[in-house]
């Protein structure tokens, strides 16, 4: 297996893309638009085909009509060029498939051979399973038994989260997949790793001489990672009530962003070298020693009825398909330590929740304060320096420093300098799924999670879940539209810190110097 440099933009070889769950929401909102964007930008050669697979009957014409509606509604490019659209659409086929019937896979194999000939594809196969995890194993076995893995080219399997429900279920799932696919052929997708500013963390750290020398416990006081959502559980109440924020967001998105911030510089910009460093971070996470340790360092909450602006919002237990006595967490915050030489003693604060007042994902790196009673600190309450990496929905960074107030004698005020990444290209910012599908087709696994990453993350999270099962009395409540339970602030107050405002909601006296026109 050759791992390409992730910075290089190499067009993949021709392949047949199989979208299992092609009539589902993920395909409609993300996968079809991603493929059209790649095609429009020349990142898909003409020698490709896409086979949509689901149980419900569809003709090719109906499938392509659904495809058009999806792209017209959700893609950053519109299918306004009739010639381009017709050339793109002819690559799409639909097949009704019972995934439990191996004979259906044999018919699929015949269709695949026809598509290879029609579009001059060298037998390459990319299987995208937008399905429930319980189906990953059976589909993989039928791909093998139906002859789908006997073609001359490469075979790659892309699977969505969640990868299991806990460590034992993840191990069982991985054992099933390994009976059919090699580890280097399995691409476990976490779409947050495809986001522009998550990938930019490496560049910010390792390409700037005034960041990397300070990126350690000598200069950094704490790191805060926030992933907040304004929505509730929507139509996912049945699924979410069995999952919760810890498994839905913590085990994957939150820990993945933590590893990107905390990892050591890789020896090379190759996928395996980068993932090796991420695994070292996960191995260095300080596990919670007991249920009492979990209660001291982790807060879980559930939203009750509240409001956001003028809109009244129901409580979690009033949502569709949710148990009226549910203790599932819709919010969690934790104090985490990475026990290695670089980060010893530096707390990482992570929080995520639903029905919070702002939709945002951002990382705040708070640097240590200047010595007290020295120079300007004698007369001024100097604010700490901050580096904020905005991931979603705004993309960019801002830096908060102290500077002289104009016209005053040595008066000091905070100044924030902002770089807005998404402002440069607006709505044409590449979507995460575009990058990740393109990477999988090229065999670049850099921004996909390896099995040892998954297993170490589950090992850390399972200790928290076990403590919550043993004692359900520590569930805190917060009104919808608020920033979560008050107990979350305690995690930081004990160390003399506080949660920083998100999305630049700073104090009134902060001066902004920005490239975004603010």
């Amino acid at each position: 297996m050759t791992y390409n440099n992730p910075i290089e933009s190499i067009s993949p070889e021709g392949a047949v893309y199989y979208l299992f769950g092609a009539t589902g929401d993920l395909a409609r909102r993300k996968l079809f638009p991603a493929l059209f964007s790649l095609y429009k930008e020349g990142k898909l050669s003409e020698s490709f085909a896409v086979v949509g697979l689901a149980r419900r009957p569809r003709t090719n014409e109906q499938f392509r009509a659904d495809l058009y509606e999806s792209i017209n509604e959700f893609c950053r490019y519109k299918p306004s060029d009739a010639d381009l659209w017709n050339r793109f659409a002819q690559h799409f086929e639909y097949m009704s498939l019972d995934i439990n019937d191996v004979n259906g896979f044999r018919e699929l194999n015949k269709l695949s051979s026809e598509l290879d000939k029609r579009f001059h594809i060298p037998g390459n196969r990319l299987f995208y399973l937008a399905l429930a995890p319980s189906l990953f194993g059976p589909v993989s076995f039928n791909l093998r038994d139906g002859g789908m893995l006997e073609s001359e080219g490469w075979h790659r399997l892309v699977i969505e989260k969640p990868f299991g429900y806990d460590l034992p279920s993840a191990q069982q799932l991985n054992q099933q997949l390994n009976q059919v696919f090699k580890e280097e052929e399995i691409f476990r997708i976490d779409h947050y790793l495809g986001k522009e500013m998550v990938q930019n963390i490496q560049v910010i750290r390792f390409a700037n001489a005034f960041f990397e020398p300070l990126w350690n416990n000598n200069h950094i006081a704490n790191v805060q990672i926030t992933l907040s959502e304004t929505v509730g559980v929507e139509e996912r109440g049945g699924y979410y009530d069995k999952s919760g924020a810890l498994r839905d967001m913590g085990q994957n998105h939150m820990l993945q962003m933590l590893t990107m911030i905390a990892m050591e510089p890789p020896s090379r910009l190759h996928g395996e070298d980068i993932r090796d460093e991420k695994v070292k971070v996960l191995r260095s996470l300080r596990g919670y020693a007991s249920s009492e340790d979990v209660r001291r360092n982790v807060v879980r909450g559930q939203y009750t009825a509240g409001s956001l602006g003028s809109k009244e919002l129901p409580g979690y237990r009033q949502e569709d398909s949710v148990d009226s006595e549910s203790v599932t967490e819709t919010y969690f915050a934790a104090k985490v330590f990475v026990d290695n030489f670089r980060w010893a003693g530096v707390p990482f604060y992570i929080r995520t929740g639903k029905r919070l007042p702002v939709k945002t994902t951002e990382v705040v790196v708070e640097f240590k304060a200047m010595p007290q009673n020295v120079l300007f600190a004698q007369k001024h309450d100097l604010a700490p320096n901050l580096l904020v990496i905005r991931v979603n929905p705004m993309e960019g960074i801002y830096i908060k420093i102290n500077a002289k107030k104009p016209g005053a004698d040595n008066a000091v005020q905070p100044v924030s300098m902002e770089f807005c990444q998404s402002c440069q290209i607006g709505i044409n910012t590449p979507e995460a799924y575009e990058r990740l599908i393109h990477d999988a087709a090229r065999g670049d696994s850099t921004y996909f999670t390896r099995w040892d990453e998954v297993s170490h993350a589950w090992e850390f999270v399972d200790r928290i879940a076990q403590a919550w099962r043993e004692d359900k009395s520590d569930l805190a409540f917060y009104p919808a539209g608020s920033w979560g339970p008050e107990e979350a602030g305690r995690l930081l107050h004990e160390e003399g810190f506080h949660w920083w405002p998100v999305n630049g909601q700073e104090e009134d006296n902060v001066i902004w110097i920005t490239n975004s026109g603010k």
Side-chain angles (χ1 to χ4, degrees):
M1 180 76 182
T2 300
Y3 295 94
N4 296 312
N5 188 327
I7 295 176
E8 297 173 355
S9 179
I10 302 172
S11 296
E13 299 175 88
V16 182
Y17 299 76
Y18 303 86
L19 301 185
F20 289 80
T23 57
D25 198 53
L26 178 66
R28 185 171 67 94
R29 288 176 174 270
K30 298 295 183 182
L31 304 184
F32 296 151
L35 288 167
F36 184 68
S37 295
L38 291 173
Y39 185 77
K40 183 175 176 63
E41 293 179 352
K43 295 177 180 176
L44 279 178
S45 66
E46 290 293 337
S47 60
F48 83 96
V50 178
V51 182
L53 300 159
R55 285 190 68 103
R56 68 180 67 174
R58 279 281 195 281
T59 65
N60 282 339
E61 290 71 23
Q62 290 173 322
F63 180 53
R64 291 169 185 174
D66 294 341
L67 178 69
Y68 183 90
E69 291 180 6
S70 161
I71 291 167
N72 195 49
E73 183 175 0
F74 296 109
C75 188
R76 60 195 178 96
Y77 296 117
K78 301 305 174 186
S80 54
D81 184 330
D83 180 61
L84 178 72
W85 167 254
N86 289 330
R87 283 190 283 112
F88 175 71
Q90 72 174 348
H91 292 269
F92 282 73
E93 299 276 330
Y94 183 82
M95 178 176 169
S96 178
L97 179 70
D98 179 355
I99 59 176
N100 296 309
D101 181 9
V102 70
N103 289 321
F105 286 80
R106 295 190 178 104
E107 291 300 314
L108 179 60
N109 194 34
K110 293 178 182 178
L111 173 61
S112 302
S113 298
E114 295 173 9
L115 294 173
D116 282 347
K117 294 177 182 177
R118 188 191 314 173
F119 295 107
H120 308 289
I121 298 169
N124 296 326
R125 309 278 186 257
L126 189 148
F127 308 102
Y128 197 117
L129 273 54
L131 302 169
S134 60
L135 301 176
F136 294 168
V139 169
S140 297
F141 295 144
N142 281 337
L143 287 172
R144 178 193 62 195
D145 299 339
M148 290 292 295
L149 305 181
E150 296 174 3
S151 61
E152 292 289 333
W154 49 254
H155 308 100
R156 294 171 189 148
L157 181 74
V158 180
I159 51 178
E160 283 279 341
K161 77 172 185 73
F163 194 81
Y165 180 79
D166 52 17
L167 181 56
S169 64
Q171 289 172 327
Q172 180 181 15
L173 177 56
N174 197 60
Q175 289 169 358
Q176 291 177 332
L177 296 182
N178 286 157
Q179 293 179 49
V180 181
F181 294 94
K182 301 174 183 176
E183 172 62 28
E184 59 266 26
E185 295 175 325
I186 301 172
F187 290 71
R188 301 173 189 85
I189 200 167
D190 183 337
H191 70 271
Y192 260 74
L193 292 181
K195 289 186 177 294
E196 181 73 32
M197 290 309 299
V198 172
Q199 296 190 359
N200 209 357
I201 289 172
Q202 291 182 100
V203 180
I204 293 169
R205 286 191 54 189
F206 304 135
N208 292 290
F210 61 93
F211 282 143
E212 183 56 26
L214 307 180
W215 213 259
N216 54 59
N217 54 7
N218 292 323
H219 302 283
I220 292 177
N222 70 82
V223 177
Q224 301 177 20
I225 303 175
T226 297
L227 197 165
S228 62
E229 300 179 283
T230 55
V231 298
V233 294
E234 309 301 316
E235 298 87 18
R236 301 171 68 225
Y239 160 77
Y240 196 89
D241 207 37
K242 297 179 177 63
S243 174
L246 179 66
R247 293 184 176 91
D248 191 45
M249 293 291 187
Q251 185 270 340
N252 38 73
H253 302 332
M254 303 298 289
L255 290 184
Q256 283 293 323
M257 285 194 290
L258 188 151
T259 62
M260 297 292 283
I261 292 293
M263 63 184 278
E264 294 295 319
S267 57
R268 299 172 299 171
L269 282 178
H270 286 190
E272 293 306 280
D273 298 282
I274 292 171
R275 299 201 294 182
D276 285 345
E277 298 304 331
K278 291 165 61 184
V279 169
K280 290 177 184 177
V281 174
L282 293 170
R283 286 174 176 164
S284 300
L285 292 180
R286 182 188 302 176
Y288 301 113
S290 63
S291 295
E292 179 60 32
D293 198 20
V294 170
R295 283 192 291 274
R296 281 195 303 268
N297 293 285
V298 184
V299 172
R300 59 171 165 166
Q302 185 186 98
Y303 64 83
T304 58
S307 62
L308 186 59
S310 59
K311 184 179 181 181
E312 296 298 318
L313 302 172
Y316 175 71
R317 294 177 179 179
Q318 285 75 57
E319 301 277 16
D320 290 341
S321 304
V322 172
D323 188 334
S324 60
E325 297 182 357
S326 173
V327 293
T328 298
E329 78 288 352
T330 61
Y331 174 102
F332 91 93
K335 178 164 60 175
V336 179
F337 288 94
V338 179
D339 286 338
N340 59 24
F341 276 105
R342 180 184 290 267
W343 295 109
V346 177
F348 286 73
Y349 300 103
I350 60 177
R351 61 173 171 172
T352 184
K354 292 187 174 295
R355 290 294 190 209
L356 301 182
V358 176
K359 174 181 172 61
T360 190
T361 302
E362 68 177 38
V363 179
V364 179
V365 180
E366 179 179 337
F367 291 89
K368 289 187 175 180
M370 297 299 294
Q372 295 300 307
N373 299 316
V374 176
L375 295 177
F376 294 102
Q378 290 180 321
K379 297 181 179 180
H380 303 282
D381 184 15
L382 300 180
N385 300 141
L386 302 179
L387 167 65
V388 181
I389 302 170
R390 292 172 171 166
V391 175
N392 185 54
M394 296 181 65
E395 298 174 346
I397 61 174
Y398 77 82
I399 301 171
K400 183 178 177 182
I401 63 174
N402 294 304
K404 180 181 177 296
K405 187 175 182 178
D409 292 335
N410 293 328
V412 177
Q413 68 179 8
V415 174
S416 288
M417 297 181 289
E418 179 191 52
F419 167 70
C420 179
Q421 176 89 8
S422 52
C423 295
Q424 293 186 313
I425 49 181
I427 62 171
N428 286 328
T429 301
E431 289 280 351
Y433 278 94
E434 293 174 32
R435 292 190 184 90
L436 295 176
I437 291 174
H438 188 232
D439 285 350
R442 294 185 297 135
D444 184 349
S445 57
T446 303
Y447 296 109
F448 295 84
T449 51
R450 205 168 61 189
W451 164 244
D452 49 358
E453 291 181 71
V454 173
S455 61
H456 285 299
W458 273 126
E459 185 177 0
F460 180 79
V461 162
D462 280 356
R463 297 188 186 186
I464 301 173
Q466 177 62 33
W468 288 352
R469 285 193 297 269
E470 293 173 357
D471 184 0
K472 299 180 174 64
S473 64
D474 63 344
L475 179 66
F477 295 93
Y478 63 99
S482 71
W483 271 111
E486 294 181 359
E487 290 84 346
R490 168 183 54 80
L491 297 176
L492 291 81
H493 296 161
E494 293 173 349
E495 305 287 344
F497 304 126
H498 62 84
W499 291 109
W500 286 101
V502 300
N503 274 356
Q505 297 176 357
E506 291 281 358
E507 300 86 352
D508 292 338
N509 64 336
V510 174
I511 303 299
W512 285 84
I513 303 171
T514 172
N515 77 320
S516 61
K518 284 188 179 180

